[in-house]
């Protein structure tokens, strides 16, 4: 479902909802998930500069979970020559 359809559905339903309920319903329609045996994908309403949609992969590992965008943000930075600054910033974010 595209965002215009989601907004339209929420707008139709919102007459009988309070603000918090309307926002909860809208947010639930903006994010979608897909599941496989050892991994799940979360599609979020954010887009990279190329127009590609951001997707988060959550993999089930032996000692926990790995959350990743499968390297897409790095590839986006690489397209504009920003891989060196990306690597420096990514390390700081990963350490936090």
């Amino acid at each position: 479902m595209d965002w215009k359809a989601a907004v339209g559905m929420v707008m139709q339903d919102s007459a009988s909802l309070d603000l918090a309920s309307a926002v909860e319903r809208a947010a639930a329609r903006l994010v979608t998930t897909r599941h496989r045996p050892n991994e799940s994908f979360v599609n979020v309403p954010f887009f990279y500069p190329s127009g590609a949609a951001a997707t988060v992969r959550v993999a089930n590992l032996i000692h926990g979970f790995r959350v990743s965008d499968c390297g897409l943000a790095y590839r986006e930075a690489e397209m504009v020559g920003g891989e060196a600054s990306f690597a420096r910033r990514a390390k700081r974010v990963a350490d936090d």
Side-chain angles (χ1 to χ4, degrees), residues 82-96:
E83 59 269 22
S85 62
F86 180 90
R88 282 191 304 273
R89 183 69 181 149
K91 180 169 178 15
R92 281 184 278 181
V93 169
D95 290 342
D96 289 344

